[in-house]
Amino acid sequence: WEVAVVAGKQRDKLSNVLYEMAKAEVTVNSDLPMPKVWPLELDKRSKEHGARRFAALGIDRDNKEQRNELRLMNFKFYGAPCVLFLFMDRTLTQWSIFDLGLFAQSLILAAHSFGLGACLQASLANYPDAVREFLGIGKTKLLVLGISMGYPDLKAPINTYISTRVSPNDFVKWYID
């Protein structure tokens, strides 16, 4: 793995690069492909989550301009002063993504213990070539995830929204004698 921590002027410069690419709707070329089709139940939950999140922010679901502004905030790192990019060696298998996910969770929990907030952002991996070039990281590394980090503004509307969770009874099956 490789973790790139970007803050200060470098954060601002990288933000501008990614923001301009996203604003211009440059074709996404993530190192890890997104599913072509989402399972029906996941697709339904995702759309419901989006609708509730828009409502919490006062964004009308049909307001394409405001929705696009929210999308572009990803590339401003939601105002967080620090962003981390998590990379893994291209030769590793899909199993290693699980390990990197565990590392990301541990990193976020550790940050939380110091009062920091973290936002996992798959969208920050949409333009891996630009990120690698900016950071001077070789193509031997896959960009897996971006994490914006800083002290949260607990009064910000987005931080008042709490997403719903599926009950463990809906996905856990017990096999006990």
Side-chain angles (χ1 to χ4, degrees):
W1 307 329
E2 186 166 329
V3 179
V5 180
V6 187
K9 291 178 184 173
Q10 294 302 310
R11 174 229 174 263
D12 297 343
K13 288 177 187 175
L14 181 53
S15 171
N16 288 335
V17 168
L18 296 175
Y19 182 88
E20 291 304 322
M21 290 179 78
K23 185 176 178 183
E25 298 185 5
V26 171
T27 303
V28 170
N29 70 330
S30 301
D31 287 336
L32 302 176
M34 293 294 286
K36 290 184 170 79
V37 178
W38 290 92
L40 266 174
E41 188 58 33
L42 291 178
D43 187 54
K44 179 183 170 196
R45 284 182 42 221
S46 176
K47 287 177 180 166
E48 288 171 357
H49 164 72
R52 287 190 305 271
R53 190 174 61 149
F54 290 142
L57 294 171
I59 296 174
D60 182 69
R61 187 138 176 97
D62 295 326
N63 189 325
K64 290 182 181 179
E65 185 177 319
Q66 284 184 321
R67 288 175 56 195
N68 190 48
E69 285 178 33
L70 181 62
R71 177 186 72 87
L72 290 173
M73 286 301 297
N74 277 287
F75 305 99
K76 292 292 183 182
F77 314 129
Y78 294 112
C82 180
V83 62
L84 290 75
F85 291 91
L86 278 56
F87 296 87
M88 66 180 241
D89 194 276
R90 215 173 263 282
T91 61
L92 297 174
T93 67
Q94 291 179 356
W95 283 101
S96 296
I97 292 172
F98 176 78
D99 295 335
L100 187 60
L102 291 170
F103 171 77
Q105 176 183 310
S106 298
L107 180 71
I108 289 165
L109 289 171
H112 184 73
S113 75
F114 288 100
L116 293 167
C119 180
L120 291 112
Q121 296 175 261
S123 60
L124 295 183
N126 283 350
Y127 305 108
D129 294 330
V131 173
R132 277 190 292 266
E133 181 180 335
F134 185 89
L135 298 174
I137 293 175
K139 289 192 175 213
T140 60
K141 303 285 184 186
L142 296 173
L143 175 54
V144 178
L145 182 67
I147 304 172
S148 292
M149 195 173 288
Y151 292 101
D153 175 359
L154 299 178
K155 293 180 183 176
I158 193 65
N159 291 329
T160 64
Y161 169 70
I162 299 173
S163 62
T164 59
R165 299 285 184 242
V166 175
S167 166
N169 293 332
D170 292 336
F171 62 87
V172 175
K173 294 181 181 176
W174 297 87
Y175 300 90
I176 302 173
D177 287 335

